[in-house]
Amino acid sequence: MTTLKNSLLIFGILFVFSCSSDNNEPIVNNGTEANLIIKFKFDPTQVRLDNVGQPATVSAGNAAQSPIFERMSANYIELAPTATTALGQGEIIFMGPETTQGGSAAIDFQNASFAGNNETFMTIPLSDVTSGDYKWVRVSLAYQEGNIDLLANGNDITGTLGSFIGYNSYITSFDLNGNTFTVNENKLQGFWAFEALGFATQGQAPEGATTVPNPLFDSSPIPQGSCVVTGEFVTPFTITGNETEDVEVVLSFSVNNSFEWTEVNADGKYEPSAGEQLVDMGVRGLIPSVN
């Protein structure tokens, strides 16, 4: 826990405070005791929220689509008992690997863990989690990868987008559909790469182009430039310390029109060659549930 808190301190100072060949397996405990299992879910029908956790429509003059996400990665998960629990003061159940190889502290992408839709991201013994009632969960997302549709030279095509939405990521290289992107440096939130029909490109989204819903905006603010998404349990998640069976928590992320761009041709199709610009690529909410 000391290592986690030290890493979190670095994390906070940095902000003052949104298929690859990197095929890492989920973090799994293979013991026989009761476990806490964390799964990911990507829901295109879930309510679409803004940065302060309020329902939001697509801005006038823009268009959006719901990507078909293949996988995501997170580098931090925290359970919080109350709406006033400050970031880092709850129960930290996961802290992903970080590195200073690129200079400043950053998420170590090469050693990150990933999960697809309805897949397990991590499993830890319930005995490692402090007993209590938890009303909220915070998840710092690091990477998302999936398919988007676009219009190119009059043709409707589908391509794969890899988005680095964590606060800072050290990347050596990664792969999208057989195309290798060599980076070997730190990249701030918003770095992306795209592949379609053998064409590959990369770039940096504008600052603030990653929506990070936080319904606790007033009582527990999140640092600018982070991707710590906050979600509320319908009823408090209770850990008694006497559990004899595994407990499964599903983290359902809203991908409802989460990829948004400015329209030049008002046809609802993303057409970069016409000058249509990406304005958002974050998730649009988090609803945790207990099975």
Side-chain angles (χ1 to χ4, degrees):
M1 185 59 71
T2 299
T3 301
L4 293 180
K5 290 187 179 295
N6 289 342
S7 296
L8 180 63
L9 179 60
I10 295 173
F11 184 70
I13 291 172
L14 284 170
F15 290 120
V16 192
F17 5 39
S18 174
C19 298
S20 172
S21 59
D22 304 294
N23 198 18
N24 302 62
E25 295 295 325
I27 300 167
V28 176
N29 167 63
N30 293 317
T32 57
E33 62 182 301
N35 295 315
L36 173 61
I37 301 169
I38 303 293
K39 287 189 172 183
F40 285 176
K41 179 181 178 181
F42 315 136
D43 190 347
T45 66
Q46 193 168 303
V47 61
R48 184 180 194 267
L49 304 179
D50 62 14
N51 277 315
V52 296
Q54 295 299 308
T57 58
V58 178
S59 300
N62 292 353
Q65 61 178 278
S66 303
I68 301 175
F69 282 117
E70 297 294 332
R71 63 178 190 155
M72 283 187 184
S73 178
N75 75 301
Y76 179 86
I77 302 176
E78 176 186 4
L79 300 172
T82 71
T84 56
T85 304
L87 179 66
Q89 297 304 305
E91 181 73 4
I92 301 168
I93 61 172
F94 175 72
M95 188 77 183
E98 296 182 337
T99 180
T100 56
Q101 190 169 347
S104 57
I107 297 165
D108 186 357
F109 177 74
Q110 255 55 45
N111 290 302
S113 296
F114 305 87
N117 189 36
N118 295 317
E119 291 183 354
T120 297
F121 176 72
M122 61 171 286
T123 301
I124 61 171
L126 273 166
S127 59
D128 288 351
V129 185
T130 302
S131 300
D133 297 328
Y134 299 99
K135 184 63 175 174
W136 303 88
V137 63
R138 297 181 174 117
V139 182
S140 179
L141 294 174
Y143 177 78
Q144 56 189 22
E145 182 180 307
N147 295 329
I148 60 170
D149 298 323
L150 68 153
L151 185 65
N153 299 319
N155 298 311
D156 292 310
I157 65 173
T158 298
T160 301
L161 178 71
S163 305
F164 292 82
I165 55 177
Y167 71 100
N168 194 22
S169 299
Y170 177 72
I171 312 158
T172 56
S173 65
F174 62 100
D175 181 277
L176 291 179
N177 297 334
N179 284 273
T180 299
F181 295 81
T182 301
V183 181
N184 290 321
E185 62 182 4
N186 284 354
K187 290 293 185 180
L188 293 176
Q189 181 187 72
F191 177 66
W192 57 267
F194 178 79
E195 190 282 335
L197 303 177
F199 170 76
T201 188
Q202 63 189 49
Q204 183 76 37
E207 184 178 354
T210 304
T211 293
V212 186
N214 177 20
L216 303 180
F217 181 81
D218 291 329
S219 61
S220 298
I222 298 299
Q224 181 68 30
S226 69
C227 198
V228 183
V229 183
T230 303
E232 181 181 14
F233 289 96
V234 175
T235 57
F237 172 38
T238 299
I239 298 177
T240 65
N242 298 316
E243 287 82 6
T244 58
E245 296 182 348
D246 293 348
V247 176
E248 181 180 282
V249 172
V250 177
L251 302 177
S252 181
F253 298 98
S254 173
V255 297
N256 185 347
N257 283 330
S258 62
F259 185 84
E260 184 176 349
W261 64 91
T262 58
E263 282 273 81
V264 174
N265 298 321
D267 55 6
K269 296 183 178 182
Y270 180 46
E271 190 175 3
S273 60
E276 296 182 345
Q277 299 293 319
L278 172 68
V279 296
D280 204 329
M281 60 178 184
V283 298
R284 283 294 184 157
L286 167 60
I287 299 177
S289 61
V290 181
N291 291 338

PDB file of all heavy atoms in Angstrom, residues 16-30:
ATOM      1  N   VAL A  16      -1.478  18.442 -10.353  1.00  0.00           N
ATOM      2  CA  VAL A  16      -2.049  19.317  -9.331  1.00  0.00           C
ATOM      3  C   VAL A  16      -3.542  19.026  -9.429  1.00  0.00           C
ATOM      4  O   VAL A  16      -4.347  19.919  -9.376  1.00  0.00           O
ATOM      5  CB  VAL A  16      -1.711  20.777  -9.562  1.00  0.00           C
ATOM      6  CG1 VAL A  16      -2.074  21.578  -8.327  1.00  0.00           C
ATOM      7  CG2 VAL A  16      -0.242  20.944  -9.855  1.00  0.00           C
ATOM      8  N   PHE A  17      -3.687  18.100  -9.695  1.00  0.00           N
ATOM      9  CA  PHE A  17      -5.035  17.914 -10.128  1.00  0.00           C
ATOM     10  C   PHE A  17      -5.988  18.577  -9.147  1.00  0.00           C
ATOM     11  O   PHE A  17      -6.620  19.184  -9.044  1.00  0.00           O
ATOM     12  CB  PHE A  17      -5.478  16.670 -10.466  1.00  0.00           C
ATOM     13  CG  PHE A  17      -5.129  15.362 -10.496  1.00  0.00           C
ATOM     14  CD1 PHE A  17      -4.418  14.830  -9.503  1.00  0.00           C
ATOM     15  CD2 PHE A  17      -5.621  14.598 -11.533  1.00  0.00           C
ATOM     16  CE1 PHE A  17      -4.134  13.529  -9.563  1.00  0.00           C
ATOM     17  CE2 PHE A  17      -5.378  13.311 -11.600  1.00  0.00           C
ATOM     18  CZ  PHE A  17      -4.625  12.742 -10.632  1.00  0.00           C
ATOM     19  N   SER A  18     -10.383   9.740 -20.081  1.00  0.00           N
ATOM     20  CA  SER A  18     -10.799   9.753 -20.739  1.00  0.00           C
ATOM     21  C   SER A  18      -9.826   9.020 -20.659  1.00  0.00           C
ATOM     22  O   SER A  18      -9.565  10.441 -20.855  1.00  0.00           O
ATOM     23  CB  SER A  18     -10.919  10.818 -21.276  1.00  0.00           C
ATOM     24  OG  SER A  18     -11.553  10.019 -22.309  1.00  0.00           O
ATOM     25  N   CYS A  19      -6.206  -4.577 -33.319  1.00  0.00           N
ATOM     26  CA  CYS A  19      -5.786  -5.234 -32.123  1.00  0.00           C
ATOM     27  C   CYS A  19      -4.269  -5.196 -32.025  1.00  0.00           C
ATOM     28  O   CYS A  19      -3.588  -5.494 -32.984  1.00  0.00           O
ATOM     29  CB  CYS A  19      -6.243  -6.665 -32.010  1.00  0.00           C
ATOM     30  SG  CYS A  19      -8.060  -6.833 -31.977  1.00  0.00           S
ATOM     31  N   SER A  20      -3.926  -4.791 -30.724  1.00  0.00           N
ATOM     32  CA  SER A  20      -2.519  -4.602 -30.471  1.00  0.00           C
ATOM     33  C   SER A  20      -1.789  -5.910 -30.233  1.00  0.00           C
ATOM     34  O   SER A  20      -2.346  -6.884 -29.783  1.00  0.00           O
ATOM     35  CB  SER A  20      -2.373  -3.711 -29.225  1.00  0.00           C
ATOM     36  OG  SER A  20      -1.062  -3.636 -28.822  1.00  0.00           O
ATOM     37  N   SER A  21      -0.496  -5.890 -30.539  1.00  0.00           N
ATOM     38  CA  SER A  21       0.317  -7.074 -30.276  1.00  0.00           C
ATOM     39  C   SER A  21       0.690  -7.153 -28.807  1.00  0.00           C
ATOM     40  O   SER A  21       1.213  -8.150 -28.353  1.00  0.00           O
ATOM     41  CB  SER A  21       1.593  -7.038 -31.127  1.00  0.00           C
ATOM     42  OG  SER A  21       2.342  -5.876 -30.839  1.00  0.00           O
ATOM     43  N   ASP A  22       0.423  -6.059 -28.027  1.00  0.00           N
ATOM     44  CA  ASP A  22       0.688  -6.065 -26.599  1.00  0.00           C
ATOM     45  C   ASP A  22      -0.453  -6.798 -25.909  1.00  0.00           C
ATOM     46  O   ASP A  22      -1.414  -6.203 -25.458  1.00  0.00           O
ATOM     47  CB  ASP A  22       0.794  -4.631 -26.073  1.00  0.00           C
ATOM     48  CG  ASP A  22       1.845  -3.852 -26.831  1.00  0.00           C
ATOM     49  OD1 ASP A  22       3.028  -4.212 -26.711  1.00  0.00           O
ATOM     50  OD2 ASP A  22       1.468  -2.929 -27.556  1.00  0.00           O
ATOM     51  N   ASN A  23      -0.348  -8.105 -25.807  1.00  0.00           N
ATOM     52  CA  ASN A  23      -1.495  -8.937 -25.422  1.00  0.00           C
ATOM     53  C   ASN A  23      -1.415  -9.336 -23.963  1.00  0.00           C
ATOM     54  O   ASN A  23      -1.393 -10.501 -23.623  1.00  0.00           O
ATOM     55  CB  ASN A  23      -1.521 -10.168 -26.336  1.00  0.00           C
ATOM     56  CG  ASN A  23      -2.869 -10.838 -26.303  1.00  0.00           C
ATOM     57  OD1 ASN A  23      -3.847 -10.250 -25.889  1.00  0.00           O
ATOM     58  ND2 ASN A  23      -2.900 -12.070 -26.752  1.00  0.00           N
ATOM     59  N   ASN A  24      -1.339  -8.326 -23.065  1.00  0.00           N
ATOM     60  CA  ASN A  24      -1.202  -8.604 -21.646  1.00  0.00           C
ATOM     61  C   ASN A  24      -2.448  -9.265 -21.091  1.00  0.00           C
ATOM     62  O   ASN A  24      -3.546  -8.943 -21.470  1.00  0.00           O
ATOM     63  CB  ASN A  24      -0.943  -7.303 -20.872  1.00  0.00           C
ATOM     64  CG  ASN A  24       0.291  -6.586 -21.373  1.00  0.00           C
ATOM     65  OD1 ASN A  24       0.343  -6.192 -22.521  1.00  0.00           O
ATOM     66  ND2 ASN A  24       1.267  -6.408 -20.514  1.00  0.00           N
ATOM     67  N   GLU A  25      -2.262 -10.180 -20.142  1.00  0.00           N
ATOM     68  CA  GLU A  25      -3.377 -10.880 -19.522  1.00  0.00           C
ATOM     69  C   GLU A  25      -3.915 -10.064 -18.349  1.00  0.00           C
ATOM     70  O   GLU A  25      -3.191  -9.302 -17.719  1.00  0.00           O
ATOM     71  CB  GLU A  25      -2.915 -12.254 -19.022  1.00  0.00           C
ATOM     72  CG  GLU A  25      -2.491 -13.204 -20.133  1.00  0.00           C
ATOM     73  CD  GLU A  25      -3.656 -13.563 -21.042  1.00  0.00           C
ATOM     74  OE1 GLU A  25      -4.791 -13.677 -20.543  1.00  0.00           O
ATOM     75  OE2 GLU A  25      -3.428 -13.717 -22.244  1.00  0.00           O
ATOM     76  N   PRO A  26      -5.204 -10.217 -17.993  1.00  0.00           N
ATOM     77  CA  PRO A  26      -5.748  -9.533 -16.816  1.00  0.00           C
ATOM     78  C   PRO A  26      -5.026  -9.970 -15.557  1.00  0.00           C
ATOM     79  O   PRO A  26      -4.472 -11.067 -15.480  1.00  0.00           O
ATOM     80  CB  PRO A  26      -7.213  -9.981 -16.791  1.00  0.00           C
ATOM     81  CG  PRO A  26      -7.498 -10.460 -18.171  1.00  0.00           C
ATOM     82  CD  PRO A  26      -6.202 -11.006 -18.692  1.00  0.00           C
ATOM     83  N   ILE A  27      -5.026  -9.108 -14.552  1.00  0.00           N
ATOM     84  CA  ILE A  27      -4.419  -9.419 -13.269  1.00  0.00           C
ATOM     85  C   ILE A  27      -5.319 -10.408 -12.548  1.00  0.00           C
ATOM     86  O   ILE A  27      -6.481 -10.125 -12.301  1.00  0.00           O
ATOM     87  CB  ILE A  27      -4.237  -8.141 -12.436  1.00  0.00           C
ATOM     88  CG1 ILE A  27      -3.328  -7.170 -13.193  1.00  0.00           C
ATOM     89  CG2 ILE A  27      -3.697  -8.442 -11.067  1.00  0.00           C
ATOM     90  CD1 ILE A  27      -3.327  -5.796 -12.620  1.00  0.00           C
ATOM     91  N   VAL A  28      -4.803 -11.572 -12.210  1.00  0.00           N
ATOM     92  CA  VAL A  28      -5.644 -12.628 -11.655  1.00  0.00           C
ATOM     93  C   VAL A  28      -4.987 -13.232 -10.428  1.00  0.00           C
ATOM     94  O   VAL A  28      -3.790 -13.504 -10.406  1.00  0.00           O
ATOM     95  CB  VAL A  28      -5.892 -13.743 -12.706  1.00  0.00           C
ATOM     96  CG1 VAL A  28      -6.679 -14.876 -12.078  1.00  0.00           C
ATOM     97  CG2 VAL A  28      -6.636 -13.185 -13.910  1.00  0.00           C
ATOM     98  N   ASN A  29      -5.765 -13.418  -9.388  1.00  0.00           N
ATOM     99  CA  ASN A  29      -5.325 -14.155  -8.209  1.00  0.00           C
ATOM    100  C   ASN A  29      -5.798 -15.593  -8.357  1.00  0.00           C
ATOM    101  O   ASN A  29      -6.963 -15.855  -8.600  1.00  0.00           O
ATOM    102  CB  ASN A  29      -5.926 -13.527  -6.943  1.00  0.00           C
ATOM    103  CG  ASN A  29      -5.762 -14.436  -5.741  1.00  0.00           C
ATOM    104  OD1 ASN A  29      -4.651 -14.719  -5.337  1.00  0.00           O
ATOM    105  ND2 ASN A  29      -6.873 -14.880  -5.185  1.00  0.00           N
ATOM    106  N   ASN A  30      -4.888 -16.541  -8.210  1.00  0.00           N
ATOM    107  CA  ASN A  30      -5.218 -17.945  -8.441  1.00  0.00           C
ATOM    108  C   ASN A  30      -5.456 -18.724  -7.148  1.00  0.00           C
ATOM    109  O   ASN A  30      -5.465 -19.949  -7.146  1.00  0.00           O
ATOM    110  CB  ASN A  30      -4.102 -18.612  -9.252  1.00  0.00           C
ATOM    111  CG  ASN A  30      -4.027 -18.049 -10.658  1.00  0.00           C
ATOM    112  OD1 ASN A  30      -5.045 -17.838 -11.299  1.00  0.00           O
ATOM    113  ND2 ASN A  30      -2.801 -17.779 -11.126  1.00  0.00           N
TER     114      ASN A  30
END
